[in-house]
Structure formats: structure tokens, C-alpha cells
Amino acid sequence: MVRDEAVTPGYKPLSRYIANQQTAMEYSHRYRAYPTDEVAERLEHHLDVHRQLYNHVRWEYENSPADDKPSEYDQNNNLPEWKQRWPIFAELHSKAAQATVARFYHNLTILRKLKEKGYDVGRLTRQAPSEYRSVTYNQSGFDLDEKRGHDTDAYVRFSKIGWVKIRYSRPIPDHATINEVTFKKETTGEWFVSFGLETDDAVLPEKPDVDSLDASNSVGIDLGIQKYIHTSDGTTVEWLDLEDEYERLRREQRNLSRKEHGSNNWENQRKQVAKVKRHIRRKVLDYQHKITTCLVREYDAVFVEDLDVTEMLEQSHNARNKQDAAWRQFIQLLEYKADLYGCHVVQVEPKGTTKECARCGVETAKPIWVRDHSCPSCGFETDRDANAAMNVLKRGFAALGLGWPESTPVETVTATDTDDIHEVSASHVVETGSLSS
């Protein structure tokens, strides 16, 4: 039988730590790294050895009887024996090796949860060298020297590897604790170092009392199709224009298809494709950072839909735009910034927010091409996404156990043919980082 880790005194598997600390993991600082050629070679070597360890943990699990699968605790206990049997594993730092074992079991947990939700999932696959690109040192095996470099540089030491220079663009906050450090080689060939940080709740700003929330200091957010977001108080934010970036990506991918697979020219062109993709990801992330920071600074409470992003992408003909939007990432940014800035962020049930009238609650079916809300019962008319945002606000108050305030956006909203909706262009957000004009 699989060992019940809960009854093992003093044992807390790292996979459970990872699963329970997603916010801490997301609260991280990431830096570009510049290892010397000698250190880069050792980083590559350790990446490959950790990949082999991960594959061995997977092999042990997959080849065990169904009623006697080894637990993470069992696999960690096997590490000393494996190091004696295969000396290459002895080259790894003990905590880093345990983190690799935890990585497999964390991935296994994710797979099980997807299966429980009805998704058709297979097994965890063997990791190829091109797929396994990061190693984590948890709790120990690393040091940060902020004084060794110049003002813009610092150095990180990884046990059994050496010192790595990083571009220290922003210092680690004094009140933050470093839980783990990860080095990663991107598909572009660039190295990065990430610090997983945790902050004591005592030093975080206190969130406003729930009873003080009303429609003037709270906002509902509809994650839209025509607009990036639509707020319950009448602000819309335009989509980020990525057409030039996607045109460049198409060009680079066409060039890649003309190269002989596996040749030096193919590898160089593959890196060019990876760099364009990275540029798109960074541009979207920067855009989201600016919007979410503005929201948590301006409001005491932000309510947002709890979207099933995977299902949205599977069902939508507009999948690329939704991937650009990266709604799950957007929500995660909101959640961790809520703690840093003292704001309530609450996810609400999204089903029916578009159909339901924000004024009277009567549901009206709306095909995707119908962009206005017109209630046949009470006559309330507004923009489709504005109506949805108001419903998100309403459900947010209900989730916090609050009544629907007497003065709400529903009472003051204007008709769809007026110009009172405040539109914010993407370029304005990029340039100023603000939703205000």
C-alpha cells in the first residue's frame, strides 16, 4: 500500500509544501543570470543529472504494483541507496535532489486533479533534455552575496556548482524570507535565477474592514472578448496590440521550417523563434502587472470571475486572444498583490453573469455576437460586459456576506449609446501604467 505520509511523525513532503505555497512561489523575484563558461557547463550537467533522477523516480513509480506505489517519503528514503548505486546522483545537493522528487509528485497531483475534473489525461512522460530546464534548491544549498558585485549585480552560489552573477535589478526586500532558489535555462539559451519569497503577514498592510466596503471603493471585473477588461464603474481597457509581434513570429517560424532539422542553422533559428515567443509573453505579463497594480491600489476590494481557462480555450474560436490574455495569470497576479497592497480580491462564480440582468436578476439568452444587454422584464439597458461586471460586483458582495448597497452602478448606469464609458487604450497603460486619463 502507499504509505500514509500524514502519520509519519515530523514528515512534510515537499510536494505538499509546493501545493500549499502557490502564493509564496508566485511572490518571487526573477533575475537574468550570466554564468561563466565553466559554471554554465556545470549548470548544464546538473540539469541533466536532475532530469535523470526525475525520470528514475517516474520509472520506479510506474513499474510498481498498482496497490503498492511508492510515496514521496519512500522515494526520498531511497536517495542514499541510489547515490551509492549510481555515483552520478551523489553529485547533487541533497535538498535539490529532494525537490526533484517533489517535482514528480507535484506533477502527479496536478494530473490526478485534472482527471477528477473529467479531463482525459494520460501518464507523466519521460523528460527529454530539451524539456527539463530548471532545478530548485529548497531551504538550503544556496547563498546570496549582494555586496560582491557592482550596484547592479549580485552573486548566487549553488552548492556543488559555484557562483553565478545575476543582474540585481531589484533587491530582495528586508522583510522577505528566501524559501528556495531556482536556476533555469530558457529555450532561448539564456539563464535566469528566481528567488521564491515569503513575507510575514505582520509586515503586510492591513486590509480594510469588510463592513466598510461599498460600491464606491469596490469594483467588479469582467474579463472580456472585445475589451481586455470591463469594470463595474464604467471603465474599459483595450486589448494589447500584438499583431506586429505575431507577424514576426510567423516569419521566424517559416524560416525555421526551411532549415534542416537538427543542424546548427536550425538550432540558431529555433532560438530566434523562442526569443519572439518570450517577447510576447513578457509584453503580456508587463501589461497585466500594470493593470493589476492599478486595480489593487485604487480599490479596497476587487471581484473577478473564477474562470475555467482550460475549458474556455477548448471551446473558443478565439483561443489565441485568450491565451494572450492569460486570464489565470491575471487572476494570480491580482491575488498575490492583494496581500502586498492591502486589498480584498475575491473570485466569484462566473456562470450566468452575462445572461442575468444586474438590476432585476431575470436571465436573458445572448448569443456571443449580441453586445448589448436589454432586459425584457425591467427595461434595463447597458453594454453586455458592463452588465456582467455589475453582476460580478453583486456576487462579490454576497460572497463576503454583505448586502447589495443602495447606491450601485446599476442605479446610475447610462444607456449603451452614450459616451460615458471611460475607455483606456492599451498604449496609455503601457506608457503610464495607469487606468486614469
Side-chain angles (χ1 to χ4, degrees):
M1 297 294 289
V2 177
R3 183 188 300 272
D4 185 357
E5 297 159 349
V7 300
T8 306
Y11 179 72
K12 182 179 181 181
L14 285 177
S15 61
R16 189 175 303 167
Y17 174 85
I18 293 172
N20 291 338
Q21 296 292 328
Q22 285 186 332
T23 302
M25 291 291 291
E26 292 163 1
Y27 175 40
S28 63
H29 283 189
R30 188 170 187 256
Y31 305 91
R32 176 76 185 275
Y34 300 90
T36 63
D37 291 343
E38 181 181 356
V39 172
E41 187 176 343
R42 288 200 289 269
L43 290 171
E44 292 267 17
H45 176 70
H46 275 252
L47 263 178
D48 190 61
V49 177
H50 276 277
R51 179 186 67 85
Q52 294 178 53
L53 176 59
Y54 179 95
N55 286 334
H56 185 72
V57 171
R58 172 190 168 277
W59 186 91
E60 290 280 349
Y61 185 89
E62 292 290 342
N63 289 275
S64 298
D67 61 346
D68 192 25
K69 294 292 186 184
S71 68
E72 181 183 339
Y73 178 84
D74 296 328
Q75 301 274 44
N76 278 330
N77 281 343
N78 288 333
L79 283 173
E81 177 188 342
W82 294 346
K83 289 180 179 180
Q84 289 184 347
R85 188 172 179 182
W86 297 288
I88 193 172
F89 289 155
E91 300 177 15
L92 307 179
H93 185 267
S94 58
K95 286 293 184 181
Q98 290 175 16
T100 297
V101 175
R103 182 173 179 168
F104 170 78
Y105 282 91
H106 179 55
N107 292 343
L108 197 64
T109 299
I110 294 175
L111 205 66
R112 285 172 176 167
K113 289 181 178 179
L114 289 174
K115 189 174 183 179
E116 290 170 0
K117 291 182 178 180
Y119 291 100
D120 184 16
V121 297
R123 298 179 178 180
L124 293 179
T125 59
R126 184 179 182 277
Q127 295 290 292
S130 61
E131 300 169 334
Y132 201 92
R133 301 195 306 272
S134 66
V135 170
T136 296
Y137 281 65
N138 185 280
Q139 299 175 333
S140 65
F142 57 85
D143 292 298
L144 172 64
D145 189 341
E146 298 172 295
K147 299 179 180 179
R148 179 175 172 180
H150 300 292
D151 292 340
T152 58
D153 298 330
Y155 282 81
V156 183
R157 183 189 66 85
F158 293 100
S159 178
K160 301 193 176 185
I161 295 179
W163 289 93
V164 178
K165 184 174 78 170
I166 61 173
R167 183 184 295 160
Y168 205 46
S169 52
R170 51 175 175 166
I172 302 294
D174 293 335
H175 55 263
T177 301
I178 301 176
N179 285 331
E180 62 185 33
V181 181
T182 299
F183 67 80
K184 180 177 182 179
K185 185 178 184 181
E186 294 286 2
T187 55
T188 59
E190 298 166 312
W191 291 95
F192 288 86
V193 171
S194 299
F195 294 86
L197 307 176
E198 189 172 16
T199 301
D200 191 340
D201 290 344
V203 303
L204 294 175
E206 187 175 351
K207 295 183 180 181
D209 189 82
V210 171
D211 292 333
S212 70
L213 300 179
D214 57 35
S216 66
N217 57 21
S218 306
V219 69
I221 304 294
D222 177 65
L223 307 177
I225 295 176
Q226 287 196 335
K227 306 292 183 182
Y228 196 78
I229 64 170
H230 202 309
T231 71
S232 57
D233 57 4
T235 297
T236 65
V237 181
E238 296 287 345
W239 280 82
L240 187 62
D241 184 4
L242 296 171
E243 192 51 45
D244 289 344
E245 285 77 4
Y246 273 109
E247 177 56 35
R248 182 187 171 194
L249 177 60
R250 287 189 288 268
R251 284 200 311 270
E252 299 294 357
Q253 288 175 327
R254 285 196 297 268
N255 290 338
L256 180 63
S257 68
R258 299 187 185 107
K259 309 294 183 186
E260 182 182 353
H261 190 279
S263 67
N264 289 337
N265 287 337
W266 181 89
E267 177 61 21
N268 291 334
Q269 185 59 34
R270 183 199 64 78
K271 290 182 179 180
Q272 289 299 318
V273 172
K275 286 180 180 179
V276 178
K277 290 181 177 179
R278 180 199 62 190
H279 175 70
I280 293 173
R281 289 195 302 270
R282 285 181 176 178
K283 198 165 183 178
V284 171
L285 180 60
D286 177 69
Y287 193 56
Q288 291 182 328
H289 268 299
K290 289 174 178 176
I291 295 175
T292 53
T293 298
C294 179
L295 289 171
V296 296
R297 280 179 171 174
E298 184 172 347
Y299 299 98
D300 292 340
V302 178
F303 305 110
V304 65
E305 297 165 296
D306 182 10
L307 298 178
D308 187 343
V309 180
T310 303
E311 184 177 351
M312 287 172 61
L313 291 178
E314 288 175 349
Q315 295 182 353
S316 177
H317 63 282
N318 202 24
R320 197 191 80 183
N321 279 348
K322 287 194 173 62
Q323 287 174 319
D324 292 343
W327 291 134
R328 179 51 53 190
Q329 178 176 273
F330 182 88
I331 294 171
Q332 288 173 342
L333 290 175
L334 271 177
E335 287 182 325
Y336 100 79
K337 289 182 181 182
D339 293 329
L340 296 179
Y341 289 91
C343 172
H344 296 278
V345 170
V346 179
Q347 295 186 54
V348 303
E349 170 59 47
K351 187 176 181 179
T353 53
T354 298
K355 298 179 181 179
E356 185 179 305
C357 177
R359 175 175 288 173
C360 69
V362 171
E363 289 195 3
T364 305
K366 299 185 188 74
I368 192 67
W369 58 85
V370 176
R371 303 313 306 168
D372 296 331
H373 168 79
S374 180
C375 181
S377 178
C378 69
F380 178 57
E381 295 185 355
T382 187
D383 179 84
R384 172 196 182 108
D385 294 336
N387 178 73
M390 294 172 203
N391 279 321
V392 171
L393 178 66
K394 188 175 182 178
R395 294 182 184 188
F397 279 117
L400 293 178
L402 301 175
W404 187 227
E406 293 182 5
S407 176
T408 69
V410 176
E411 305 304 325
T412 59
V413 72
T414 54
T416 56
D417 59 351
T418 67
D419 298 325
D420 285 7
I421 292 179
H422 173 52
E423 296 185 359
V424 180
S425 68
S427 59
H428 177 80
V429 175
V430 171
E431 292 169 5
T432 69
S434 172
L435 303 186
S436 60
S437 55

